[in-house]
Amino acid sequence: MVPVLSGRREARRPAKTTAAAAALSLVGAFCLAMATAPAAHAASLPTGFTTVVNVGSGKCVDARAAGTADGTAVQQYDCNGSGAQQWELQPTSGGYYQVDNFSNTAEAWDVTDVSTADGALIQTWTYGGGQNQQWLPVAESGGSYHFVNRDSGKCLDVPSASTADSVQLQQYDCNGTASQSFTLGAGSNPPPPPGTPDFGPNVTVFDPSESASTIQSRINSVYSQQETNQFGQQRYAMLFKPGTYNVDVPVGYYTEVAGLGLSPDDVTINGGVHVDAKWDDGNATQNFWRDAENMSVNPTSGTDMWAVSQADPYRRMDLHGNLQLWDNTENSSTEWASGGFIGDSRISGQINSGSQQQFLTRNTTMQGGWTGSNWNMVFVGDTNAPSNSFPSPPDTSVAQTPTSREKPFLYVDGSGNYQVFVPAPRTNSQGASWTGGSAAGTSLPISDFFIAQPSNTAADLNAALAAGKNLLFTPGVYHLTQTLNVTRPDTVVLGLGLATLEADNGVTAISTADVDGIDLAGLLIDAGTTNSATLVQIGPAGSSAGHASDPTTLSDFFVRIGGAAVGKATQSVVVNSANVIGDDLWLWRADHGTGVGWTSNTAANGLVVNGANVTMYGLAVEHYQQYQTTWNGNGGRTYFYQSEMPYDPPSQSAWRSGSNGYASYKVGASVTSHEAWGLGVYCFFNVDPSMVADRAIEVPAVSGVKFHDMMTFSLGGDGSITHIINSSGGAATGSSGAQNLTSGP
């Protein structure tokens, strides 16, 4: 990611900045003062979805006509068990909560027009972090609650203490009456539609029988919340049953959009499935953490846009048109994009990379070819790929993918049953796996999976694993206080909607045994505030078994140290087992966001490989404080490497490996065989611009270690990299431009 760190735009309903407390009445001020110590009450609040029942009327708080759009009235109505009367309290800060409706979890209780006046009506509106959308539940004697708005200090209220249906709720000075008192149910998730597993409130399953307007409304609501929500807690998956849909699908942060067919062509979207960068004036270098999979798309204009950087897989897609990989619609000078991954897809038109600085396509059938190149474009096992021409243009083409295993995916069979398809390994392959008919693999019934919800503990998850279950993580943030131990061969651990596992109390998030065929896919691993020695360990130290015929695979697997909050982990991913395949990995020590700093989000190494014959496709490792990648096992292969050195070393003396700086990619001195294709390493030292790294890549100078098509660049001219590999390759400085080397050491 280039060092363009523009702040994100505010959401539709920004936090109010005026001092609302000055306008409070004496009654309201007293009520607000009484509500300033909510911690004692928070523990008793229900988790999951609950009814909210007014004590005075006995009626349920209800989204009028089961509305899911902005401006839907929040009213009272006879309790009927519908999703319109199911509400979830999600904590924001300081004891306040957003209150979301089950029918559309992007919509929250909202005081109309950000008013602080008595009688202002309550509606649902896409949650944007505004104080008018945050409520303090204050416990009363007898177990009921009143809800105080953070902006106005006034209470949720039934007008005139009415007992009639369809009365829209308001805010009013807190007065202790029954019209402002509400009881909460025990908390649960409403049952899913018949035949649908309980994937929780953040998974929406669309059926082609639904109206296009209903589907589009849900899509728009999620996107309006997630377009700029770079470090938010919300996670979503929108899944389409087999059929045809006339909708347009923008894909925001922490959102997965996927078809539920066994083939991508079982689901057709007549419209776009796209990502733009309008929220940041055309700058796509912060468009992370989203996913499109397993659909056929007919873009209305003939061209779809996928303007992304890291952690944005475009996988098993059948696009009937052109694909543009950057956003030029803003007509600005910030039309940058910085990396991406397309895999196992077919594109009928031309792929245009535009301002993309680097990119990997793997096993993609590119019927219309590819145009564009800047620094480092890599093509592995693609059809109709550009010829190998590095560095002019900087294209690296490898005709066949030597070993691969596609990502598992959820689908609905012809009888309406949910299953997970686990593709079989492929060797020496070219093109998408599914274009010649059904791909080889195994279908697992959904009954073989423990469907995890964010309320599940690590103990729950380990109990399921010990009972022989696979894990399907529904969208959300999971706090792990113990390591998930994956010990059974061929276990599938699959995340939906960028499900996020946070390693609390310094634990390792995931540890596997040295067994065949484990699949870890679609997950974001977050470091916790207490340092973890290792976040993910594949096989115990000293693993020696071979797994060539049934490899463990990490697909769309991402790690984050800081950014969302302070995070610490010495090593992110340690691979001890042999024959492991990595397919689209981004291991990131955050350079922006929350908890960022040389002594705050501390992390030494991103990837450490000790196992033999490990293969990586699309490996991005960035900003770690020592070696980004250390490779100690023989027979390793990397196809596409993207890495930025840390931005923030405070001085040269603080960042030394015995010479100036640390190489990004280090192959251990005892390694006798290793090969890599298409590597880009960048520096941008924004604390001390005089910083120097002596080399980008450090390897033993033996015949079995071979590197192809390498480049370095000094971003913004701050700092330099003296050599590309060992003592070979020119110096990347502020005035040198990109430095290239076709082979080494």
Side-chain angles (χ1 to χ4, degrees):
M1 182 182 65
V2 297
V4 180
L5 307 180
S6 301
R8 63 187 177 99
R9 294 177 183 170
E10 291 300 315
R12 164 64 175 79
R13 307 286 291 184
K16 190 175 176 68
T17 57
T18 58
L24 293 176
S25 68
L26 290 176
V27 176
F30 173 77
C31 181
L32 183 59
M34 293 296 291
T36 54
H41 310 302
S44 62
L45 291 173
T47 58
F49 286 87
T50 180
T51 54
V52 181
V53 181
N54 183 252
V55 171
S57 67
K59 295 185 181 293
C60 279
V61 177
D62 176 281
R64 181 171 291 168
T68 58
D70 285 344
T72 296
V74 175
Q75 63 180 14
Q76 68 176 8
Y77 204 85
D78 276 341
C79 298
N80 54 31
S82 68
Q85 297 180 354
Q86 297 287 330
W87 304 93
E88 182 180 36
L89 281 69
Q90 295 197 54
T92 57
S93 65
Y96 287 85
Y97 290 76
Q98 67 185 78
V99 186
D100 302 330
N101 187 250
F102 175 76
S103 299
N104 185 350
T105 56
E107 298 279 311
W109 288 358
D110 175 284
V111 178
T112 303
D113 296 326
V114 201
S115 174
T116 60
D118 282 344
L121 296 175
I122 310 303
Q123 61 184 358
T124 64
W125 197 277
T126 302
Y127 184 74
Q131 293 188 15
N132 65 310
Q133 295 182 306
Q134 300 180 45
W135 302 82
L136 185 71
V138 181
E140 303 169 339
S141 61
S144 56
Y145 292 83
H146 57 270
F147 289 85
V148 182
N149 186 259
R150 190 170 201 164
D151 186 44
S152 66
K154 296 182 183 295
C155 277
L156 185 70
D157 179 275
V158 177
S160 303
S162 175
T163 59
D165 281 342
S166 304
V167 173
Q168 186 170 0
L169 304 190
Q170 63 179 8
Q171 67 176 9
Y172 204 83
D173 276 342
C174 299
N175 54 33
T177 64
S179 63
Q180 296 183 351
S181 182
F182 298 85
T183 59
L184 306 179
S188 65
N189 288 331
T196 302
D198 184 4
F199 294 131
N202 296 325
V203 175
T204 302
V205 177
F206 295 122
D207 189 281
S209 64
E210 296 178 73
S211 70
S213 61
T214 298
I215 296 171
Q216 191 68 62
S217 176
R218 173 60 173 164
I219 293 168
N220 293 347
S221 292
V222 170
Y223 184 67
S224 65
Q225 175 178 292
Q226 299 302 100
E227 180 184 11
T228 65
N229 196 16
Q230 184 172 173
F231 294 113
Q233 298 291 297
Q234 294 80 11
R235 306 287 186 269
Y236 295 100
M238 293 184 288
L239 309 179
F240 294 78
K241 286 185 176 180
T244 299
Y245 300 82
N246 298 311
V247 293
D248 181 71
V249 189
V251 186
Y253 282 103
Y254 310 110
T255 303
E256 177 180 354
V257 178
L260 289 173
L262 188 56
S263 164
D265 292 329
D266 291 339
V267 173
T268 297
I269 305 293
N270 291 321
V273 176
H274 57 92
V275 177
D276 63 41
K278 292 181 175 62
W279 73 276
D280 201 15
D281 197 32
N283 172 21
T285 60
Q286 295 184 64
N287 276 355
F288 312 137
W289 304 306
R290 64 201 76 202
D291 181 14
E293 296 188 33
N294 202 30
M295 293 180 288
S296 173
V297 180
N298 297 308
T300 304
S301 68
T303 298
D304 226 350
M305 179 183 292
W306 193 253
V308 298
S309 291
Q310 295 80 38
D312 303 297
Y314 192 86
R315 189 184 286 272
R316 283 181 60 85
M317 296 291 285
D318 192 7
L319 178 65
H320 300 277
N322 304 312
L323 185 61
Q324 179 174 314
L325 300 179
W326 88 109
D327 186 348
N328 63 348
T329 61
E330 292 297 289
N331 296 315
S332 73
S333 60
T334 58
E335 296 165 359
W336 302 301
S338 182
F341 172 87
I342 299 174
D344 199 29
S345 294
R346 179 171 63 189
I347 314 296
S348 69
Q350 186 181 69
I351 304 175
N352 189 332
S353 63
S355 62
Q356 272 287 353
Q357 293 157 349
Q358 57 268 308
F359 212 91
L360 172 69
T361 59
R362 182 189 58 71
N363 287 96
T364 294
T365 302
M366 298 190 290
Q367 295 176 325
W370 177 287
T371 184
S373 57
N374 282 299
W375 294 345
N376 183 32
M377 304 298 180
V378 180
F379 308 89
V380 182
D382 299 319
T383 62
N384 205 24
S387 61
N388 197 85
S389 57
F390 189 93
S392 183
D395 295 335
T396 300
S397 291
V398 179
Q400 293 184 318
T401 303
T403 180
S404 62
R405 187 171 205 162
E406 299 298 340
K407 180 182 179 182
F409 59 92
L410 185 70
Y411 78 100
V412 178
D413 66 19
S415 300
N417 300 309
Y418 282 78
Q419 304 197 51
V420 172
F421 187 76
V422 183
R426 303 172 77 196
T427 57
N428 300 321
S429 61
Q430 188 177 63
S433 65
W434 48 270
T435 54
S438 299
T442 303
S443 289
L444 303 176
I446 200 67
S447 58
D448 285 357
F449 286 78
F450 179 83
I451 301 176
Q453 307 273 356
S455 57
N456 288 123
T457 65
D460 298 333
L461 302 171
N462 275 325
L465 289 167
K469 292 285 190 179
N470 303 295
L471 297 181
L472 181 67
F473 284 94
T474 61
V477 178
Y478 297 74
H479 289 272
L480 303 181
T481 56
Q482 59 181 248
T483 300
L484 299 186
N485 294 303
V486 185
T487 60
R488 179 176 59 84
D490 299 312
T491 299
V492 176
V493 180
L494 177 61
L496 299 178
L498 282 296
T500 301
L501 313 183
E502 182 174 314
D504 289 339
N505 303 328
V507 303
T508 294
I510 301 175
S511 180
T512 76
D514 188 26
V515 296
D516 282 352
I518 292 170
D519 276 296
L520 305 178
L523 295 170
L524 171 59
I525 311 299
D526 254 345
T529 56
T530 301
N531 186 71
S532 295
T534 302
L535 284 177
V536 178
Q537 179 172 295
I538 308 301
S543 295
S544 59
H547 309 288
S549 63
D550 190 11
T552 286
T553 307
L554 283 67
S555 304
D556 302 339
F557 195 86
F558 313 125
V559 172
R560 183 169 62 186
I561 314 290
V566 174
K568 301 174 184 288
T570 305
Q571 296 177 325
S572 285
V573 177
V574 176
V575 177
N576 295 315
S577 289
N579 306 108
V580 171
I581 298 172
D583 193 38
D584 186 29
L585 274 67
W586 186 34
L587 315 180
W588 185 57
R589 175 180 168 260
D591 59 273
H592 64 283
T594 299
V596 172
W598 188 252
T599 59
S600 297
N601 59 327
T602 53
N605 312 115
L607 175 67
V608 177
V609 178
N610 299 316
N613 304 312
V614 171
T615 303
M616 293 283 162
Y617 303 99
L619 174 62
V621 190
E622 301 194 290
H623 308 305
Y624 287 83
Q625 294 172 296
Q626 296 181 18
Y627 298 111
Q628 311 294 302
T629 298
T630 302
W631 209 297
N632 300 315
N634 272 310
R637 294 172 292 190
T638 294
Y639 299 86
F640 182 87
Y641 181 70
Q642 175 187 337
S643 181
E644 288 183 2
M645 293 175 168
Y647 289 172
D648 56 343
S651 65
Q652 194 72 65
S653 62
W655 192 57
R656 289 184 61 85
S657 59
S659 58
N660 288 327
Y662 287 83
S664 171
Y665 195 114
K666 178 178 172 61
V667 177
S670 63
V671 173
T672 58
S673 60
H674 187 92
E675 199 160 5
W677 292 258
L679 300 94
V681 178
Y682 317 111
C683 71
F684 174 72
F685 300 116
N686 63 0
V687 174
D688 182 356
S690 68
M691 295 288 294
V692 174
D694 282 346
R695 60 192 61 86
I697 303 166
E698 182 179 324
V699 304
V702 297
S703 60
V705 175
K706 304 173 183 178
F707 278 66
H708 313 274
D709 301 350
M710 300 159 277
M711 59 83 56
T712 58
F713 197 93
S714 176
L715 301 167
D718 290 334
S720 62
I721 303 173
T722 305
H723 297 291
I724 295 176
I725 184 168
N726 292 356
S727 298
S728 299
T733 67
S735 59
S736 68
Q739 297 295 299
N740 300 298
L741 191 64
T742 56
S743 64

